[in-house]
Amino acid sequence: MKLQQLKYIWEVAHHDLNVSATAQSLFTSQPGISKQVRLLEDELGLEIFARSGKHLTHITPVGHTIIEQAGQILRKVESIKQAAHEFRDEKTGSLSIATTHTQARYALPNVISSFIGRYPEVSLHMHQGSPLQIAELAANGEVDFAIATEGLELFGDLVMLPCYNWNRSIIVTKGHALAEKPMLTLKDIAEYPIVTYVFGFTGRSKLDEAFQNEGLQPKVVFTATDADVIKTYVRLGLGIGIIADMAYDVAQDPDLVALSASHLFSPSTTMIGCRRGTFLRAFMYDFMELFAPHLTRELIDRAFEAQTRQDVDLLFDDIVFPVL
């Protein structure tokens, strides 16, 4: 059994069983991959992939177990390489982050600017997607960090660290009737068409929960993953917008009015998730502390040593998170 063979079955599984696409991504030949996969299956005495002719059709039940263990081995190998790299030079390398548009556009720019100033020799890569896509990238080891508000809790192999709390604003055009209300109610909001986030994005579940608790059915007429898109359609008169507080900028949105909704919705917490067992380099600790100053190296290490998610949560019981 060779590491190369484990790499091949892992990559084939994560390229939708497309051996040609796998070969292209690994800069090798399709026959070479097929041969090594067959050799591994012959050595193990079982099939990892079921076939129809020359085509792979699905992963066998035992294949799922083998591929999962192969992924764990490959991650350990990568950690060994990272440890050696850290010993040679702690200020060079790469850092990959998966996050949502709202985090990338409004929460991260200053952090990334400071990080690049501190570590100019570290290449930084950002991937954007849905919370589930983001969490899956981190769980599979394709990125170092996942930053999101929803979805990370679905992946048990991620250590999730709370970073900051945030709430929502109602966005309306100037002169809108809601802007004259001294304090909004959910009933006030439910009377208008609503433009907001797609379900599963940026704390949307807290919004839906609040309306349900009041027995109200909001008229959500348009959803998007991008706060800037939501504001665009509010400007077009499609409805009132509900977005994260941080996504409203007085200077950039002078034609819009932001009305606080923090008394209407429960606050949401943005988390940074990292795969358990990841070797954290010095600059990775620094990135997390730049993003959330309470995430000291000592606290991060204690979170990684914790046995359960509940144990991790207990570490943060007495910490007052900043509000963005």
Side-chain angles (χ1 to χ4, degrees):
M1 186 183 304
K2 302 174 183 177
L3 278 176
Q4 182 191 52
Q5 294 171 333
L6 300 181
K7 175 72 172 176
Y8 284 169
I9 63 171
W10 173 263
E11 291 293 340
V12 167
H14 288 81
H15 280 83
D16 298 323
L17 307 188
N18 188 322
V19 180
S20 296
T22 304
Q24 289 179 358
S25 71
L26 296 177
F27 303 101
T28 187
S29 68
Q30 178 179 342
I33 290 179
S34 298
K35 178 181 178 181
Q36 290 301 321
V37 170
R38 276 295 193 187
L39 287 173
L40 178 60
E41 290 177 323
D42 290 344
E43 180 181 348
L44 296 175
L46 49 82
E47 282 192 335
I48 298 170
F49 302 105
R51 295 166 174 81
S52 176
K54 294 183 178 180
H55 299 287
L56 306 184
T57 57
H58 61 273
I59 302 171
T60 64
V62 70
H64 281 289
T65 300
I66 292 170
I67 290 166
E68 180 182 353
Q69 293 181 0
Q72 294 173 7
I73 292 168
L74 293 170
R75 289 193 287 270
K76 288 292 185 183
V77 170
E78 184 59 30
S79 291
I80 292 171
K81 291 179 180 177
Q82 292 282 6
H85 196 173
E86 178 73 7
F87 183 80
R88 292 195 307 271
D89 190 344
E90 64 180 21
K91 292 192 173 183
T92 65
S94 66
L95 178 63
S96 55
I97 302 159
T99 191
T100 61
H101 169 84
T102 299
Q103 301 295 331
R105 171 69 177 81
Y106 297 102
L108 283 168
N110 290 337
V111 174
I112 288 174
S113 179
S114 298
F115 180 83
I116 291 174
R118 189 177 298 183
Y119 295 99
E121 299 302 317
V122 175
S123 57
L124 199 56
H125 309 280
M126 184 179 291
H127 306 256
Q128 291 187 51
S130 71
L132 284 177
Q133 291 169 336
I134 290 163
E136 188 172 7
L137 286 171
N140 289 339
E142 296 176 59
V143 298
D144 298 304
F145 296 138
I147 299 174
T149 300
E150 304 203 32
L152 302 187
E153 73 281 354
L154 300 177
F155 291 79
D157 49 353
L158 292 181
V159 179
M160 299 189 306
L161 310 176
C163 300
Y164 65 86
N165 291 334
W166 60 272
N167 216 305
R168 295 146 190 83
S169 290
I170 309 301
I171 303 297
V172 298
T173 53
K174 284 190 173 180
H176 194 283
L178 285 183
E180 305 303 319
K181 296 268 186 179
M183 181 172 285
L184 295 178
T185 66
L186 285 174
K187 186 176 179 181
D188 292 332
I189 298 169
E191 291 177 355
Y192 292 90
I194 294 171
V195 183
T196 192
Y197 298 108
V198 172
F199 186 80
F201 269 78
T202 318
R204 170 67 191 274
S205 60
K206 294 290 179 79
L207 186 153
D208 293 338
E209 181 181 290
F211 283 109
Q212 289 171 6
N213 289 342
E214 292 293 319
L216 297 170
Q217 183 65 44
K219 295 178 284 189
V220 179
V221 296
F222 183 84
T223 61
T225 62
D226 182 331
D228 294 329
V229 172
I230 292 171
K231 288 186 284 187
T232 295
Y233 283 89
V234 170
R235 291 184 174 102
L236 290 174
L238 202 63
I240 63 174
I242 305 180
I243 63 173
D245 284 338
M246 72 186 91
Y248 174 77
D249 187 307
V250 175
Q252 295 185 9
D253 304 311
D255 56 331
L256 299 176
V257 178
L259 310 173
S260 175
S262 59
H263 61 293
L264 300 177
F265 304 108
S266 300
S268 293
T269 302
T270 290
M271 316 283 284
I272 185 165
C274 188
R275 192 181 63 252
R276 190 175 297 279
T278 297
F279 177 80
L280 295 174
R281 300 189 60 189
F283 60 74
M284 297 169 76
Y285 283 104
D286 281 355
F287 179 89
M288 285 190 276
E289 191 167 3
L290 280 170
F291 187 57
H294 60 275
L295 292 180
T296 62
R297 185 167 188 151
E298 178 187 1
L299 185 57
I300 293 167
D301 286 342
R302 288 174 64 191
F304 269 78
E305 291 166 3
Q307 297 300 308
T308 67
R309 187 161 290 169
Q310 289 72 27
D311 292 336
V312 174
D313 292 340
L314 286 173
L315 295 174
F316 295 90
D317 272 353
D318 298 326
I319 294 176
V320 178
F321 303 127
V323 178
L324 243 58

